[in-house]
Coordinates of all heavy atoms in Angstrom, one line a residue:
Y1 N -23.1 -6.0 96.1 CA -22.5 -7.3 96.4 C -21.1 -7.1 96.9 O -20.7 -7.7 97.9 CB -22.5 -8.2 95.2 CG -21.8 -9.5 95.4 CD1 -22.3 -10.5 96.2 CD2 -20.5 -9.7 94.9 CE1 -21.7 -11.7 96.4 CE2 -19.9 -10.9 95.1 CZ -20.4 -11.9 95.9 OH -19.8 -13.0 96.1
I2 N -20.3 -6.2 96.2 CA -18.9 -5.9 96.6 C -18.9 -5.4 98.0 O -18.1 -5.7 98.9 CB -18.2 -5.0 95.6 CG1 -18.1 -5.6 94.2 CG2 -16.9 -4.5 96.1 CD1 -17.1 -6.8 94.2
W3 N -19.9 -4.5 98.3 CA -19.9 -3.9 99.6 C -20.1 -4.9 100.7 O -19.5 -4.9 101.7 CB -21.1 -2.8 99.7 CG -21.2 -2.2 101.0 CD1 -20.5 -1.2 101.6 CD2 -22.2 -2.6 102.0 NE1 -20.9 -0.9 102.8 CE2 -21.9 -1.8 103.2 CE3 -23.2 -3.5 102.1 CZ2 -22.7 -1.9 104.3 CZ3 -23.9 -3.6 103.3 CH2 -23.7 -2.8 104.4
L4 N -21.0 -5.9 100.4 CA -21.2 -7.0 101.4 C -20.0 -7.8 101.6 O -19.6 -8.2 102.7 CB -22.4 -7.9 100.9 CG -23.8 -7.3 101.0 CD1 -24.7 -8.3 100.3 CD2 -24.2 -7.1 102.4
W5 N -19.3 -8.0 100.5 CA -18.0 -8.8 100.6 C -17.0 -8.1 101.6 O -16.4 -8.7 102.4 CB -17.4 -9.0 99.2 CG -16.1 -9.6 99.2 CD1 -14.9 -9.1 99.4 CD2 -15.8 -11.0 99.1 NE1 -13.9 -10.0 99.3 CE2 -14.4 -11.2 99.2 CE3 -16.7 -12.1 99.0 CZ2 -13.9 -12.5 99.1 CZ3 -16.1 -13.4 98.9 CH2 -14.7 -13.6 98.9
F6 N -16.9 -6.8 101.3 CA -15.9 -6.0 102.1 C -16.3 -5.9 103.6 O -15.5 -5.7 104.4 CB -15.6 -4.7 101.5 CG -14.8 -4.8 100.2 CD1 -15.1 -4.0 99.1 CD2 -13.8 -5.8 100.0 CE1 -14.4 -4.1 98.0 CE2 -13.1 -5.9 98.8 CZ -13.4 -5.0 97.8
T7 N -17.6 -5.8 103.8 CA -18.0 -5.7 105.2 C -17.9 -7.0 106.0 O -17.7 -7.1 107.1 CB -19.5 -5.2 105.3 OG1 -20.3 -6.0 104.6 CG2 -19.6 -3.7 104.8
K8 N -18.0 -8.1 105.2 CA -17.9 -9.4 105.8 C -16.4 -9.8 106.1 O -16.1 -10.4 107.1 CB -18.4 -10.5 104.9 CG -19.7 -11.1 105.3 CD -20.1 -12.2 104.3 CE -21.0 -13.2 105.0 NZ -21.6 -14.1 104.0
W9 N -15.6 -9.4 105.1 CA -14.1 -9.6 105.2 C -13.4 -8.3 105.0 O -12.8 -8.1 103.9 CB -13.7 -10.7 104.2 CG -14.4 -12.0 104.4 CD1 -14.0 -12.9 105.3 CD2 -15.5 -12.5 103.7 NE1 -14.9 -14.0 105.2 CE2 -15.8 -13.8 104.2 CE3 -16.3 -12.1 102.6 CZ2 -16.8 -14.6 103.7 CZ3 -17.3 -12.8 102.2 CH2 -17.5 -14.1 102.7
P10 N -13.3 -7.5 106.0 CA -12.7 -6.1 105.8 C -11.3 -6.1 105.3 O -10.9 -5.2 104.6 CB -12.8 -5.5 107.2 CG -13.7 -6.4 108.0 CD -13.8 -7.7 107.4
G11 N -10.5 -7.1 105.7 CA -9.1 -7.2 105.2 C -9.0 -7.3 103.7 O -8.0 -7.0 103.1
E12 N -10.0 -7.8 103.1 CA -10.0 -8.0 101.6 C -10.0 -6.7 100.9 O -9.5 -6.6 99.7 CB -11.3 -8.8 101.2 CG -11.2 -10.3 101.6 CD -10.2 -11.1 100.8 OE1 -10.1 -10.9 99.6 OE2 -9.4 -11.8 101.4
K13 N -10.6 -5.7 101.4 CA -10.7 -4.4 100.7 C -9.4 -3.8 100.4 O -9.1 -3.4 99.3 CB -11.5 -3.4 101.6 CG -11.8 -2.1 100.9 CD -12.8 -1.3 101.7 CE -13.2 0.0 100.9 NZ -14.1 0.8 101.7
K14 N -8.5 -3.9 101.3 CA -7.1 -3.3 101.1 C -6.4 -4.2 100.0 O -5.8 -3.6 99.1 CB -6.3 -3.4 102.4 CG -4.9 -2.9 102.3 CD -4.2 -2.9 103.6 CE -2.7 -2.4 103.5 NZ -1.8 -3.3 102.8
Q15 N -6.5 -5.5 100.1 CA -5.9 -6.3 99.1 C -6.5 -6.1 97.7 O -5.8 -6.1 96.8 CB -6.0 -7.8 99.5 CG -5.3 -8.2 100.7 CD -5.6 -9.6 101.2 OE1 -6.5 -10.2 100.8 NE2 -4.7 -10.1 102.1
H16 N -7.8 -5.9 97.7 CA -8.5 -5.6 96.4 C -7.9 -4.3 95.8 O -7.6 -4.3 94.6 CB -10.0 -5.6 96.6 CG -10.7 -5.2 95.4 ND1 -10.9 -6.1 94.4 CD2 -11.3 -4.1 95.0 CE1 -11.6 -5.5 93.4 NE2 -11.9 -4.3 93.8
Y17 N -7.9 -3.3 96.6 CA -7.4 -2.0 96.1 C -5.9 -2.1 95.6 O -5.6 -1.6 94.6 CB -7.5 -0.9 97.1 CG -8.9 -0.4 97.4 CD1 -9.2 0.2 98.6 CD2 -9.8 -0.5 96.4 CE1 -10.5 0.7 98.8 CE2 -11.1 0.0 96.6 CZ -11.4 0.6 97.8 OH -12.7 1.1 98.0
E18 N -5.1 -2.9 96.3 CA -3.7 -3.1 95.9 C -3.7 -3.8 94.6 O -2.9 -3.5 93.7 CB -3.0 -3.8 97.0 CG -2.7 -3.0 98.2 CD -2.1 -3.8 99.4 OE1 -2.1 -5.1 99.3 OE2 -1.7 -3.2 100.3
R19 N -4.5 -4.8 94.4 CA -4.6 -5.6 93.2 C -5.0 -4.7 92.0 O -4.3 -4.7 90.9 CB -5.6 -6.7 93.3 CG -5.2 -8.0 92.9 CD -6.3 -9.1 93.2 NE -6.2 -9.5 94.6 CZ -7.2 -9.6 95.4 NH1 -8.4 -9.2 95.1 NH2 -7.0 -10.0 96.7
I20 N -6.0 -3.9 92.2 CA -6.5 -3.0 91.1 C -5.4 -2.0 90.8 O -5.1 -1.7 89.6 CB -7.7 -2.2 91.6 CG1 -8.9 -3.2 91.8 CG2 -8.1 -1.1 90.6 CD1 -9.2 -4.1 90.6
Q21 N -4.7 -1.4 91.8 CA -3.6 -0.5 91.5 C -2.5 -1.2 90.7 O -1.9 -0.6 89.8 CB -3.0 0.1 92.8 CG -4.0 1.1 93.4 CD -3.6 1.5 94.8 OE1 -2.7 0.9 95.5 NE2 -4.2 2.6 95.3
E22 N -2.2 -2.4 91.0 CA -1.1 -3.2 90.3 C -1.5 -3.3 88.8 O -0.7 -3.1 87.9 CB -0.9 -4.5 91.0 CG 0.0 -5.4 90.3 CD 0.1 -6.8 91.0 OE1 -0.1 -6.9 92.2 OE2 0.3 -7.8 90.2
L23 N -2.8 -3.7 88.6 CA -3.2 -3.9 87.2 C -3.3 -2.6 86.5 O -2.9 -2.6 85.3 CB -4.6 -4.6 87.3 CG -4.7 -6.0 87.8 CD1 -6.1 -6.5 88.1 CD2 -3.9 -7.0 86.9
A24 N -3.7 -1.5 87.1 CA -3.7 -0.2 86.5 C -2.3 0.2 86.1 O -2.1 0.8 85.0 CB -4.4 0.8 87.4
K25 N -1.4 -0.1 87.0 CA 0.0 0.3 86.7 C 0.5 -0.4 85.5 O 1.2 0.2 84.6 CB 0.9 -0.1 87.9 CG 2.3 0.3 87.8 CD 3.1 0.0 89.1 CE 4.6 0.2 88.9 NZ 5.3 -0.2 90.0
E26 N 0.2 -1.7 85.3 CA 0.6 -2.4 84.1 C 0.0 -1.8 82.9 O 0.7 -1.7 81.9 CB 0.2 -3.9 84.3 CG 1.1 -4.7 85.2 CD 0.7 -6.2 85.2 OE1 0.6 -6.7 84.1 OE2 0.6 -6.7 86.3
F27 N -1.3 -1.5 83.0 CA -1.9 -0.9 81.8 C -1.3 0.4 81.5 O -1.0 0.7 80.3 CB -3.4 -0.7 82.1 CG -4.2 -0.1 80.9 CD1 -4.8 -1.0 80.1 CD2 -4.3 1.2 80.7 CE1 -5.5 -0.6 79.0 CE2 -5.1 1.7 79.6 CZ -5.7 0.8 78.8
K28 N -0.9 1.2 82.5 CA -0.3 2.5 82.3 C 1.1 2.4 81.6 O 1.5 3.2 80.8 CB -0.2 3.3 83.6 CG 0.2 4.7 83.4 CD 0.1 5.5 84.7 CE 0.5 7.0 84.4 NZ 0.3 7.8 85.6
I29 N 1.8 1.4 82.1 CA 3.1 1.1 81.5 C 3.0 0.8 80.0 O 3.8 1.4 79.2 CB 3.9 -0.1 82.2 CG1 4.3 0.4 83.6 CG2 5.0 -0.6 81.4 CD1 4.7 -0.8 84.5
E30 N 2.0 0.1 79.6 CA 1.8 -0.3 78.2 C 1.3 0.9 77.4 O 1.5 1.0 76.2 CB 0.9 -1.5 78.0 CG 1.6 -2.8 78.5 CD 0.8 -4.0 78.1 OE1 0.2 -4.0 77.0 OE2 0.8 -5.0 78.9
N31 N 0.4 1.7 78.0 CA -0.3 2.7 77.2 C -0.1 4.1 77.6 O -0.7 5.1 77.1 CB -1.9 2.4 77.3 CG -2.2 1.1 76.7 OD1 -2.2 0.9 75.5 ND2 -2.5 0.1 77.6
H32 N 0.8 4.3 78.6 CA 1.2 5.6 79.1 C 0.2 6.4 79.8 O 0.4 7.6 80.2 CB 1.8 6.5 77.9 CG 2.8 5.8 77.1 ND1 4.1 5.4 77.7 CD2 2.8 5.3 75.9 CE1 4.8 4.8 76.7 NE2 4.0 4.6 75.7
S33 N -1.0 5.8 80.1 CA -2.1 6.5 80.8 C -3.2 5.5 81.1 O -3.3 4.4 80.5 CB -2.6 7.7 80.0 OG -3.6 8.3 80.8
I34 N -4.0 5.9 82.1 CA -5.3 5.1 82.3 C -6.5 6.0 82.1 O -7.6 5.7 82.3 CB -5.3 4.5 83.7 CG1 -5.2 5.5 84.8 CG2 -4.2 3.4 83.8 CD1 -5.5 5.0 86.2
I35 N -6.2 7.3 81.7 CA -7.3 8.3 81.5 C -7.7 8.3 80.1 O -6.9 8.5 79.1 CB -6.7 9.7 81.9 CG1 -6.3 9.6 83.4 CG2 -7.8 10.7 81.6 CD1 -5.6 10.8 83.9
C36 N -9.0 8.1 79.8 CA -9.6 7.9 78.5 C -9.2 9.1 77.6 O -8.7 8.9 76.5 CB -11.1 7.8 78.6 SG -11.9 7.5 77.0
R37 N -9.3 10.3 78.1 CA -9.0 11.5 77.3 C -7.6 11.4 76.8 O -7.3 11.7 75.6 CB -9.3 12.7 78.1 CG -8.9 14.0 77.5 CD -9.0 15.2 78.4 NE -8.1 15.2 79.5 CZ -8.4 15.0 80.8 NH1 -9.6 14.8 81.2 NH2 -7.4 14.9 81.7
E38 N -6.7 11.0 77.6 CA -5.2 11.0 77.3 C -5.0 9.8 76.3 O -4.2 9.9 75.4 CB -4.4 10.8 78.5 CG -4.4 12.0 79.4 CD -3.7 11.9 80.7 OE1 -3.1 10.8 81.0 OE2 -3.7 12.8 81.5
L39 N -5.7 8.7 76.5 CA -5.5 7.5 75.6 C -6.0 7.9 74.2 O -5.4 7.4 73.2 CB -6.3 6.3 76.1 CG -5.8 5.7 77.4 CD1 -6.8 4.7 78.0 CD2 -4.4 5.1 77.2
L40 N -7.0 8.7 74.1 CA -7.6 9.2 72.8 C -6.8 10.3 72.2 O -7.0 10.7 71.1 CB -9.0 9.6 73.0 CG -10.0 8.4 73.4 CD1 -11.4 9.0 73.7 CD2 -10.0 7.4 72.3
G41 N -5.8 10.9 73.0 CA -5.1 12.0 72.4 C -5.9 13.3 72.3 O -5.6 14.1 71.5
L42 N -6.9 13.4 73.2 CA -7.7 14.6 73.2 C -7.1 15.8 74.0 O -6.3 15.5 74.9 CB -9.1 14.3 73.7 CG -9.9 13.2 73.0 CD1 -11.1 12.9 73.7 CD2 -10.2 13.7 71.6
P43 N -7.5 17.0 73.7 CA -7.0 18.1 74.5 C -7.3 18.0 76.0 O -8.3 17.2 76.3 CB -7.7 19.4 73.9 CG -8.5 18.9 72.8 CD -8.4 17.4 72.7
Q44 N -6.6 18.6 76.8 CA -6.8 18.5 78.3 C -8.3 18.6 78.7 O -8.7 17.8 79.4 CB -6.0 19.5 79.0 CG -4.5 19.1 79.1 CD -4.3 17.7 79.8 OE1 -5.0 17.4 80.8 NE2 -3.5 16.9 79.3
K45 N -8.9 19.6 78.2 CA -10.3 19.8 78.6 C -11.1 20.6 77.6 O -10.6 21.5 77.0 CB -10.4 20.5 80.0 CG -11.8 20.6 80.5 CD -11.9 21.2 81.8 CE -13.4 21.2 82.3 NZ -13.6 21.9 83.5
S46 N -12.3 20.1 77.3 CA -13.1 20.8 76.3 C -14.3 21.2 77.1 O -15.0 20.5 77.8 CB -13.6 19.8 75.2 OG -14.5 20.5 74.4
D47 N -14.6 22.5 77.0 CA -15.8 23.1 77.8 C -17.1 23.0 77.0 O -18.1 23.3 77.5 CB -15.5 24.5 78.1 CG -14.4 24.7 79.2 OD1 -14.3 23.7 80.0 OD2 -13.8 25.7 79.2
S48 N -17.0 22.5 75.8 CA -18.2 22.4 74.9 C -19.1 21.2 75.4 O -18.6 20.1 75.5 CB -17.8 22.2 73.5 OG -19.0 22.0 72.7
P49 N -20.3 21.5 75.6 CA -21.3 20.4 76.0 C -21.7 19.6 74.8 O -22.4 18.6 74.9 CB -22.4 21.1 76.6 CG -22.4 22.4 75.9 CD -21.0 22.8 75.6
I50 N -21.3 20.0 73.6 CA -21.8 19.4 72.4 C -20.8 18.3 72.0 O -19.6 18.6 71.7 CB -21.9 20.4 71.2 CG1 -22.9 21.5 71.6 CG2 -22.4 19.7 69.9 CD1 -22.9 22.7 70.7
P51 N -21.2 17.0 71.9 CA -20.3 15.9 71.6 C -20.0 16.0 70.1 O -20.7 16.5 69.3 CB -21.1 14.7 71.9 CG -22.5 15.1 71.9 CD -22.6 16.5 72.2
E52 N -18.9 15.3 69.7 CA -18.5 15.2 68.3 C -19.6 14.4 67.6 O -20.1 13.5 68.2 CB -17.2 14.5 68.2 CG -16.0 15.4 68.5 CD -14.7 14.6 68.2 OE1 -14.5 14.2 67.1 OE2 -13.9 14.5 69.1
K53 N -19.7 14.6 66.3 CA -20.7 13.8 65.5 C -20.1 12.4 65.4 O -18.9 12.2 65.2 CB -20.8 14.5 64.2 CG -22.0 13.9 63.4 CD -22.2 14.7 62.1 CE -23.5 14.1 61.5 NZ -23.9 14.9 60.3
R54 N -20.9 11.4 65.6 CA -20.5 10.0 65.6 C -20.5 9.5 64.1 O -21.5 9.1 63.7 CB -21.4 9.1 66.5 CG -21.4 9.5 67.9 CD -20.0 9.7 68.5 NE -20.0 9.6 70.0 CZ -19.8 10.7 70.7 NH1 -19.6 11.9 70.2 NH2 -19.7 10.5 72.0
T55 N -19.4 9.6 63.5 CA -19.3 9.2 62.1 C -18.3 8.0 62.0 O -17.7 7.7 63.0 CB -18.7 10.4 61.2 OG1 -17.4 10.7 61.7 CG2 -19.6 11.6 61.3
E56 N -18.2 7.5 60.8 CA -17.2 6.4 60.6 C -15.8 6.9 60.9 O -15.0 6.1 61.6 CB -17.3 5.9 59.2 CG -16.6 4.6 58.9 CD -16.9 4.0 57.6 OE1 -18.0 4.1 57.1 OE2 -15.9 3.6 57.0
E57 N -15.5 8.1 60.5 CA -14.2 8.6 60.8 C -13.9 8.8 62.3 O -12.8 8.6 62.8 CB -14.0 10.0 60.1 CG -12.6 10.5 60.1 CD -11.6 9.6 59.5 OE1 -11.9 9.0 58.5 OE2 -10.5 9.6 60.0
Y58 N -15.0 9.2 63.0 CA -14.9 9.4 64.5 C -14.4 8.0 65.1 O -13.6 8.0 66.0 CB -16.3 9.8 65.0 CG -16.4 9.8 66.5 CD1 -16.0 10.9 67.3 CD2 -16.8 8.7 67.2 CE1 -16.1 10.9 68.7 CE2 -16.9 8.7 68.6 CZ -16.6 9.8 69.3 OH -16.7 9.8 70.7
Y59 N -15.1 7.0 64.7 CA -14.7 5.7 65.3 C -13.4 5.1 64.8 O -12.8 4.3 65.6 CB -15.9 4.7 65.1 CG -17.1 5.0 65.9 CD1 -18.2 5.6 65.4 CD2 -17.1 4.8 67.3 CE1 -19.3 5.9 66.2 CE2 -18.2 5.1 68.1 CZ -19.3 5.7 67.5 OH -20.3 6.0 68.3
K60 N -13.0 5.5 63.7 CA -11.7 5.1 63.2 C -10.5 5.6 64.0 O -9.5 4.9 64.2 CB -11.4 5.5 61.7 CG -12.1 4.7 60.7 CD -11.8 5.2 59.3 CE -12.5 4.4 58.3 NZ -12.3 4.9 56.9
K61 N -10.7 6.7 64.6 CA -9.6 7.3 65.4 C -9.7 7.0 66.9 O -9.0 7.5 67.7 CB -9.6 8.8 65.2 CG -10.8 9.6 65.7 CD -10.7 11.1 65.4 CE -11.9 11.8 65.9 NZ -11.9 13.2 65.6
R62 N -10.6 6.1 67.2 CA -10.8 5.6 68.6 C -10.1 4.3 68.8 O -10.5 3.3 68.2 CB -12.3 5.5 69.0 CG -13.0 6.8 68.9 CD -12.6 7.7 70.0 NE -13.4 8.9 70.2 CZ -13.0 10.1 69.9 NH1 -11.8 10.3 69.4 NH2 -13.8 11.1 70.2
P63 N -9.1 4.2 69.7 CA -8.4 3.0 70.0 C -9.1 2.1 71.1 O -8.4 1.3 71.7 CB -7.1 3.4 70.4 CG -7.3 4.7 71.2 CD -8.5 5.3 70.4
C64 N -10.4 2.3 71.3 CA -11.0 1.7 72.4 C -10.9 0.1 72.4 O -10.7 -0.5 73.4 CB -12.5 2.1 72.5 SG -12.7 3.9 72.6
V65 N -11.1 -0.4 71.2 CA -11.1 -1.9 71.1 C -9.7 -2.4 71.5 O -9.6 -3.4 72.2 CB -11.5 -2.3 69.7 CG1 -11.2 -3.8 69.5 CG2 -12.9 -2.0 69.4
E66 N -8.7 -1.7 71.1 CA -7.3 -2.1 71.4 C -7.0 -2.0 72.9 O -6.3 -2.8 73.5 CB -6.3 -1.3 70.6 CG -6.3 -1.6 69.1 CD -7.3 -0.8 68.3 OE1 -8.0 0.0 68.9 OE2 -7.4 -1.0 67.1
M67 N -7.6 -0.9 73.5 CA -7.4 -0.7 74.9 C -8.1 -1.8 75.7 O -7.5 -2.3 76.7 CB -7.9 0.7 75.4 CG -7.2 1.8 74.7 SD -5.5 2.0 75.2 CE -4.8 2.1 73.6
V68 N -9.2 -2.2 75.3 CA -10.0 -3.3 76.0 C -9.2 -4.6 75.9 O -9.1 -5.4 76.8 CB -11.4 -3.4 75.5 CG1 -12.1 -4.7 76.0 CG2 -12.2 -2.2 75.8
A69 N -8.7 -4.8 74.7 CA -7.9 -6.0 74.4 C -6.6 -6.1 75.3 O -6.3 -7.1 75.9 CB -7.5 -6.2 73.0
T70 N -6.0 -4.9 75.5 CA -4.8 -4.8 76.4 C -5.2 -5.1 77.8 O -4.5 -5.9 78.5 CB -4.2 -3.4 76.3 OG1 -3.8 -3.2 75.0 CG2 -3.0 -3.2 77.2
A71 N -6.3 -4.5 78.3 CA -6.8 -4.7 79.6 C -7.1 -6.2 79.9 O -6.8 -6.8 80.9 CB -8.0 -3.9 79.9
A72 N -7.8 -6.8 78.9 CA -8.1 -8.2 79.0 C -6.9 -9.1 79.0 O -6.8 -10.1 79.8 CB -9.0 -8.7 77.8
A73 N -5.9 -8.8 78.3 CA -4.6 -9.6 78.3 C -3.9 -9.4 79.7 O -3.4 -10.4 80.2 CB -3.7 -9.1 77.2
I74 N -3.9 -8.2 80.2 CA -3.3 -8.0 81.5 C -4.1 -8.8 82.6 O -3.5 -9.5 83.4 CB -3.3 -6.5 81.9 CG1 -2.3 -5.8 81.0 CG2 -3.0 -6.3 83.4 CD1 -2.4 -4.3 81.1
M75 N -5.4 -8.8 82.5 CA -6.2 -9.6 83.5 C -6.0 -11.1 83.3 O -5.9 -11.8 84.3 CB -7.7 -9.2 83.3 CG -8.5 -9.7 84.4 SD -8.1 -8.8 85.9 CE -8.6 -10.0 87.1
E76 N -5.9 -11.5 82.0 CA -5.7 -13.0 81.8 C -4.4 -13.4 82.4 O -4.3 -14.4 83.0 CB -5.7 -13.2 80.3 CG -5.5 -14.7 79.9 CD -5.5 -14.9 78.4 OE1 -5.1 -14.0 77.6 OE2 -5.9 -16.0 78.0
N77 N -3.3 -12.6 82.2 CA -2.0 -12.9 82.7 C -2.1 -13.0 84.3 O -1.5 -13.8 84.9 CB -0.9 -11.9 82.3 CG -0.6 -12.1 80.8 OD1 -0.8 -13.2 80.2 ND2 -0.1 -11.1 80.2
Y78 N -2.8 -12.0 84.8 CA -2.9 -11.9 86.3 C -3.6 -13.2 86.8 O -3.1 -13.8 87.8 CB -3.7 -10.7 86.7 CG -3.9 -10.7 88.2 CD1 -2.9 -10.2 89.0 CD2 -5.1 -11.2 88.8 CE1 -3.1 -10.2 90.4 CE2 -5.3 -11.2 90.1 CZ -4.3 -10.7 91.0 OH -4.5 -10.7 92.3
I79 N -4.6 -13.6 86.2 CA -5.4 -14.8 86.6 C -4.5 -16.1 86.5 O -4.4 -16.9 87.4 CB -6.7 -15.0 85.8 CG1 -7.7 -13.9 86.2 CG2 -7.3 -16.4 86.0 CD1 -8.9 -13.8 85.2
K80 N -3.8 -16.2 85.4 CA -2.9 -17.3 85.2 C -1.8 -17.4 86.3 O -1.5 -18.4 86.8 CB -2.2 -17.3 83.8 CG -3.1 -17.7 82.7 CD -2.3 -17.6 81.4 CE -3.2 -17.8 80.2 NZ -2.6 -17.7 78.9
E81 N -1.2 -16.2 86.6 CA -0.2 -16.2 87.6 C -0.6 -16.3 89.1 O 0.1 -16.6 89.9 CB 0.6 -14.8 87.5 CG 1.4 -14.7 86.2 CD 2.0 -13.3 85.9 OE1 1.8 -12.5 86.8 OE2 2.6 -13.1 84.9
N82 N -1.9 -16.1 89.3 CA -2.4 -16.1 90.7 C -3.5 -17.1 90.9 O -4.4 -16.9 91.8 CB -2.9 -14.7 91.0 CG -1.8 -13.7 91.0 OD1 -1.1 -13.6 92.0 ND2 -1.7 -12.9 89.9
R83 N -3.5 -18.2 90.3 CA -4.5 -19.3 90.5 C -4.3 -19.9 91.8 O -3.3 -20.1 92.4 CB -4.4 -20.3 89.4 CG -5.0 -19.8 88.2 CD -5.1 -20.9 87.2 NE -5.6 -20.3 86.0 CZ -6.2 -20.9 85.0 NH1 -6.2 -22.2 85.0 NH2 -6.7 -20.4 84.0

């Protein structure tokens, strides 16, 4: 669907990318990154193909819910300001 939109209105693609970059910049200002590994405080790269065991402790150290809430708040503000 997005592809059809951009082929119908090619000028929209550039504006869309600019919008996404603006929103990502706001998220990065608040959270110091947009990269999941960095948000989780994980080492730069793990070569192990074995994932961590999914335990209660595993999920306690994951700030994913807070990150989604931050992204939602940024989007909500954007929508309010650009109606």
